Amino acid sequence: MSLNLTTEWDKVFPKSDKVDHKKVTFKNHFGIELAADMYTPKAASGKLPAIAVAGPYGAVKEQSSGLYAQEMAERGFVAIAFDPSYTGESGGEPRYVTSWDLNVEDYQAAIDFLSNEPNVDADKISIIGVCGWGGVALQTACLDTRIKATICSTMYDMPRVARNGYFDADNNAEARQKAKEAMNAQRTEDYKNGELKLAGGVVDPLPEDAPKFLQDYHTYYKTPRGYHARSLNSNGGWAMTGNISLANTTAFTNSNEIKNAVLIIHGEKAHSRYLGEDAFAAMTGYEFATHHAPAPYEGNAPVGPTKVGNKELLIIEGASHCDLYDQKDIIPFNKIETFIKENF
């Protein structure tokens, strides 16, 4: 079945006059056709370095990933922002289901596609993942040796959150048992009803006692700043039973064996900061001077860069999680460009 792709510009960010844009499609190894926006520098010639971008988890390519891709195209890259399987304009039925393994395959399929584009230098392909897809990007780097540099921006370890809750608050057998019972009861209901019940996107209206990070999500996904009609987070959300697959996954397998470059970026005030810090430590063996239990807005790494070989953790002073979605004066694009080019 062919995909129904929009032809008008329907992004949440303005179109650049420095790049050419077109829709492209490609299939992953499960036969699912993926939709992507391709951004190419105007008047470019010869073979160019390339980047595949995805995320955040539950977003679409018309949101943050497209902004990143367009910005990198302005800097001389062929860049694609793609919708993952079962979401956005990409194929796959039923809709709005998730699998960490399939997400990694989507990235690898994007690399397959770029490697065979006539205007791409197949030896200079990198990936960028935002939020939950920052974690997927790191997992892909554990497996795909074609990637020259991996950028994980404001990243989540989605399997860890699915198993343990935010800040590991539910990291105990009793809490996990209750979660499993609820999800499996929902499977029974979904089968009976012949459809998957959605968990709901970002809550709206916000409760008065909503934590700061939920307020930040609302400000992005539920306002003109970032709302999009195809975005799961802006609307009905993922299937309620999706956490079963995530909780059954261990992320970042053998990340300490990644040979190519990795840059993990977080805001100083990001609630997700502990996830990136722990992933960096596991990947590099780095030991922070202090190690706090996961807690919002309290990190272990100093502001600025922490480097171990060709791996780097960068903490952006004063920035929140969602600042790195679309705030171009905060997202360190100069650093991202330099880091990638230094590691070709």
Side-chain angles (χ1 to χ4, degrees):
M1 184 177 73
S2 60
L3 301 181
N4 182 23
L5 303 179
T6 58
T7 56
E8 72 277 6
W9 183 265
D10 62 346
K11 323 303 180 197
V12 302
F13 52 90
K15 187 175 183 180
S16 172
D17 60 4
K18 299 177 182 178
V19 305
D20 293 320
H21 164 266
K22 67 177 181 179
K23 290 288 183 72
V24 297
T25 63
F26 51 92
K27 286 187 177 181
N28 65 23
H29 278 189
F30 293 96
I32 298 171
E33 190 169 12
L34 304 182
D37 288 301
M38 175 178 279
Y39 301 88
T40 308
K42 284 191 173 180
S45 61
K47 290 186 177 291
L48 303 176
I51 297 176
V53 191
Y57 225 74
V60 288
K61 64 188 182 304
E62 289 74 22
Q63 296 174 306
S64 181
S65 61
L67 181 146
Y68 273 74
Q70 180 174 260
E71 176 69 24
M72 297 310 294
E74 288 185 352
R75 295 165 181 266
F77 295 80
V78 174
I80 60 170
F82 63 91
D83 284 330
S85 297
Y86 306 111
T87 67
E89 292 185 306
S90 288
E93 294 287 343
R95 304 301 288 169
Y96 313 142
V97 294
T98 184
S99 161
W100 190 259
D101 182 57
L102 185 59
N103 294 158
V104 170
E105 167 57 31
D106 287 345
Y107 256 133
Q108 294 201 271
I111 297 166
D112 297 341
F113 169 77
L114 288 172
S115 296
N116 286 280
E117 282 295 284
N119 61 338
V120 167
D121 184 339
D123 292 324
K124 294 182 178 181
I125 295 176
S126 301
I127 61 175
I128 298 175
V130 184
C131 189
W133 276 79
V136 180
L138 183 57
Q139 184 65 58
T140 307
C142 294
L143 299 168
D144 201 316
T145 57
R146 298 172 295 177
I147 301 168
K148 290 300 180 286
T150 300
I151 312 298
C152 309
S153 182
T154 201
M155 65 160 279
Y156 261 52
D157 176 343
M158 295 298 297
R160 177 174 172 178
V161 174
R163 284 193 307 275
N164 301 343
Y166 280 106
F167 316 121
D168 294 339
D170 297 323
N171 186 17
N172 60 80
E174 181 180 1
R176 276 190 285 272
Q177 180 67 17
K178 289 181 179 179
K180 288 184 284 188
E181 288 172 354
M183 285 188 289
N184 287 306
Q186 188 60 53
R187 286 185 66 105
T188 302
E189 285 299 305
D190 288 350
Y191 186 88
K192 180 174 69 175
N193 296 329
E195 62 181 10
L196 300 178
K197 185 176 181 179
L198 302 183
V202 173
V203 63
D204 185 41
L206 278 173
E208 292 184 2
D209 61 347
K212 178 63 165 61
F213 73 89
L214 189 54
Q215 297 175 37
D216 289 346
Y217 281 142
H218 187 277
T219 300
Y220 182 77
Y221 286 109
K222 290 293 191 176
T223 73
R225 172 183 165 191
Y227 175 85
H228 197 278
R230 288 191 294 274
S231 170
L232 283 69
N233 294 339
S234 292
N235 297 283
W238 294 99
M240 289 186 69
T241 54
N243 269 11
I244 294 176
S245 174
L246 291 174
N248 194 42
T249 302
T250 300
F252 315 140
T253 312
N254 300 326
S255 65
N256 62 320
E257 298 176 2
I258 298 172
K259 299 297 184 185
N260 291 328
V262 177
L263 171 63
I264 298 175
I265 306 168
H266 272 286
E268 178 189 12
K269 303 298 183 182
H271 70 283
S272 54
R273 177 178 170 179
Y274 72 99
L275 297 167
E277 289 179 344
D278 285 359
F280 179 79
M283 177 174 59
T284 63
Y286 185 85
E287 295 184 5
F288 297 106
T290 60
H291 191 86
H292 304 287
Y297 317 120
E298 185 177 18
N300 301 301
V303 170
T306 299
K307 299 180 181 180
V308 178
N310 64 352
K311 312 297 189 294
E312 185 170 339
L313 173 66
L314 178 62
I315 304 297
I316 307 297
E317 184 175 6
S320 72
H321 179 86
C322 289
D323 283 341
L324 298 183
Y325 281 10
D326 65 342
Q327 300 302 294
K328 293 178 67 174
D329 59 333
I330 297 176
I331 301 168
F333 280 117
N334 287 339
K335 171 65 178 181
I336 292 171
E337 177 187 0
T338 300
F339 184 85
I340 292 173
K341 290 180 177 179
E342 287 177 347
N343 286 287
F344 282 153

